[in-house]
Amino acid sequence: MTSDPINRRLGILISGRGSNLQALIDAIAGGRLDATIALVISNRADAAGLERARAAGIEAICLPHRAYATREDYDRALVKELQARDVGLVCLAGFMRLVGAPLIEAFPNRILNIHPSLLPAFPGLDAQRQAIEHGVKVSGVTVHLVTAELDGGPIVVQRAVPVIAGDTAESLSARILEEEHRAYPEAVQLILHGGWRVEGRRFVPARFPTSAST
Ligand code: GAR
């Protein structure tokens, strides 16, 4: 699959602190990411990221998932808001909800997620705690395209972060977070640059032909 040109208007979905949202805002302001944040949506009214967005002059709204009878209804409401702002790429940035078919079908291969582990290790909740409890010596961050499989879509960017003796879930989370803030803007830029394709479950960037295509 060769990707079509991608509209650079981002929709960012959050549930809390919003430090990855801030990293994207800062990367755009610093000229490292050529994009516009069209809308920030939180499923929680108390998400600190909503204030970060508004402080940067970005429209930010709360869509509380509890107000919708089903996950599909909620996803359809998200799609409506995103499409109303002509969003081309959706970035999940600490959005702690499963995304379902209506959103994935409206934005096929146009949804990114950031996850604080080296997937496919430690999907789901509390990835950093899972890594500590498993005793791995290296963990990290993954940015991937979102498919129906939880944390299972094609991997766009991955960075390793060492686990240090004495680490807690909190200290490891802080070290991974620093890498997240570098990895997410890079991954978004890579996607917006275009020319990539998905082969099976592999994300193939623009400059790297594979045996199947040569
Ligand atoms: C980040 O560590 C992100 O990787 C993680 O939530 C945190 C959000 O922080 N996401 C997940 O665990 C998704 N499964 P932030 O609100 O400061 O960006």
Side-chain angles (χ1 to χ4, degrees):
M1 180 206 92
T2 302
S3 53
D4 302 323
I6 301 180
N7 152 2
R8 293 176 173 269
R9 291 173 62 77
L10 309 181
I12 317 277
L13 307 191
I14 63 168
S15 295
R17 180 177 55 187
S19 72
N20 278 292
L21 162 67
Q22 189 69 56
L24 293 169
I25 293 171
D26 293 346
I28 292 168
R32 285 170 284 122
L33 174 57
D34 178 14
T36 301
I37 302 178
L39 179 65
V40 172
I41 306 178
S42 171
N43 64 311
R44 296 179 52 109
D46 61 356
L50 288 171
E51 283 315 311
R52 292 181 191 264
R54 290 174 188 140
I58 297 165
E59 184 185 5
I61 62 174
C62 174
L63 277 192
H65 58 276
R66 289 186 207 288
Y68 297 84
T70 66
R71 185 183 305 286
E72 286 68 30
D73 286 349
Y74 184 62
D75 276 18
R76 276 190 280 272
L78 291 173
V79 168
K80 190 170 161 223
E81 299 293 347
L82 293 164
Q83 288 181 338
R85 275 80 171 183
D86 189 28
V87 163
L89 181 68
V90 179
C91 300
L92 310 184
F95 184 62
M96 297 314 215
R97 302 278 310 159
L98 292 174
V99 301
L103 192 60
I104 293 170
E105 285 165 12
F107 293 93
N109 279 340
R110 294 291 185 274
I111 309 175
L112 283 173
N113 181 44
I114 187 158
H115 184 79
S117 74
L118 291 178
L119 291 169
F122 314 129
L125 293 176
D126 284 329
Q128 304 96 328
R129 185 170 306 284
Q130 293 184 57
I132 293 287
E133 288 176 358
H134 196 93
V136 294
K137 306 304 181 201
V138 177
S139 189
V141 52
T142 303
V143 182
H144 64 94
L145 291 168
V146 172
T147 61
E149 183 189 350
L150 172 67
D151 295 331
I155 292 169
V156 178
V157 166
Q158 214 162 30
R159 294 283 153 69
V161 173
V163 181
I164 295 172
D167 256 343
T168 60
E170 290 70 30
S171 62
L172 178 60
S173 297
R175 195 174 313 110
I176 291 174
L177 196 62
E178 285 184 29
E179 203 59 45
E180 291 186 42
H181 295 163
R182 286 187 281 272
Y184 213 177
E186 285 175 29
V188 173
Q189 183 72 340
L190 188 58
I191 291 292
L192 294 179
H193 182 263
W196 50 269
R197 61 193 183 277
V198 171
E199 289 184 4
R201 52 173 310 122
R202 294 194 311 131
F203 172 86
V204 184
R207 288 173 294 114
F208 299 97
T210 64
S211 54
S213 61
T214 52

